[in-house]
Amino acid sequence: MNNNLLSRLSADDFKLLEPHLNQVHFKQHTVLFQADEPIRHVYFPTGAVISLVVGLSTGEMVEAAMVGRDGVVGAAAALDGRLSLSRGIVQLAGDAMVCDIEGLKSAARESSQLLSLLIRHEQVVYAQAQQSAACFATHNVQARLCRWLLRARDLSGSDTLQFTQEYLAEMLGVRRTSVTVDAHTLQAAAMIKYARGRIQILDVDGLRESACECYNTVNRHYAQLLGNPKNSL
């Protein structure tokens, strides 16, 4: 199972959940749920990368957290969370195991291991959202862009990412011109290659050196609360 949270379950605990799981392929930019609406499904990405974003009255969106094969989206519903507090958007196309809410609740009631994993994962997502708020307030666009690209690479398992500059600017909460300037700088430094909405990462170590501290902090939170991922990200 190419999802780190599901792979942590014992065989017996996974059997409780397995009948409720269905594999679905999601296209990029698919909206999974809206803010202030009931959560009806939970998503365990196995290839897709999902952004949790906060919408503003101006129509702009800012990303609060990013989840891929390291975790689950919508698990708060199994912990009696009634409404989503953010919008869920498929950032990168791919597969996910989809579970209905009642199925997950039933499995969590019977499996203390599953319930514990869900609670700790929600802590990880909350910590990531807090870190994002601090990042927006204190770090420059280039450092944030490097952090964001590394995170997307880790969760997708690919050095090639399909993103337009408009989308990057939206997720980072900045003007497109800022992303354009910094993307050109990274390309001139041979860290990335950018063309026609596709970014190819060429120098991972260089991006890590240029990224803000938030990249390592988010990874550390994951390791502290859930342990090192079994799959190589």
Side-chain angles (χ1 to χ4, degrees):
M1 178 62 64
N2 195 25
N3 176 279
N4 285 302
L5 213 63
L6 293 178
S7 71
R8 292 179 185 282
L9 293 174
S10 68
D12 288 340
D13 285 335
F14 182 72
K15 285 180 181 179
L16 295 171
L17 193 59
E18 190 174 17
H20 307 287
L21 295 174
N22 293 291
Q23 182 170 308
V24 179
H25 181 82
F26 292 102
K27 295 181 179 179
Q28 189 177 34
H29 305 317
T30 299
V31 177
L32 302 178
F33 48 81
Q34 297 282 3
D36 299 324
E37 291 185 354
I39 300 174
R40 294 183 172 85
H41 297 93
V42 176
Y43 306 87
F44 295 88
T46 57
V49 178
I50 299 168
S51 289
L52 300 177
V53 302
V54 177
L56 305 177
S57 59
T58 57
E60 297 173 301
M61 295 185 297
V62 178
E63 184 183 75
M66 187 190 304
V67 179
R69 54 183 180 159
D70 63 336
V72 57
V73 175
L79 306 173
D80 286 335
R82 297 181 181 276
L83 299 175
S84 172
L85 301 180
S86 58
R87 182 184 304 171
I89 301 177
V90 177
Q91 179 193 111
L92 285 171
D95 292 345
M97 301 301 292
V98 182
C99 183
D100 65 90
I101 294 300
E102 292 307 316
L104 184 61
K105 284 184 177 180
S106 175
R109 282 194 292 265
E110 295 187 54
S111 169
S112 60
Q113 182 193 26
L114 175 58
L115 181 59
S116 176
L117 281 174
L118 294 178
I119 292 172
R120 283 182 280 139
H121 184 270
E122 288 304 294
Q123 287 181 283
V124 169
V125 173
Y126 178 62
Q128 189 181 161
Q130 287 183 308
Q131 195 68 35
S132 292
C135 189
F136 290 150
T138 59
H139 297 143
N140 64 51
V141 176
Q142 183 172 312
R144 288 162 53 197
L145 176 59
C146 290
R147 181 263 301 172
W148 197 88
L149 291 174
L150 286 169
R151 178 77 175 151
R153 173 189 178 271
D154 288 348
L155 297 185
S156 67
S158 174
D159 288 325
T160 301
L161 308 172
Q162 301 290 338
F163 293 123
T164 63
Q165 290 189 1
E166 289 88 349
Y167 186 75
L168 284 171
E170 193 168 42
M171 292 297 100
L172 292 172
V174 299
R175 295 180 182 274
R176 180 189 170 182
T177 51
S178 297
V179 170
T180 300
V181 170
D182 288 311
H184 285 166
T185 300
L186 296 178
Q187 185 161 251
M191 293 186 198
I192 66 171
K193 182 179 180 181
Y194 181 84
R196 296 182 180 180
R198 185 177 72 174
I199 297 174
Q200 184 177 356
I201 295 177
L202 305 175
D203 183 359
V204 175
D205 289 337
L207 285 180
R208 285 174 177 158
E209 290 178 4
S210 300
C212 60
E213 65 189 83
C214 300
Y215 173 69
N216 288 328
T217 300
V218 168
N219 287 341
R220 187 173 67 251
H221 287 154
Y222 188 99
Q224 288 172 333
L225 289 167
L226 293 169
N228 291 318
K230 292 185 177 182
N231 294 328
S232 178
L233 294 179

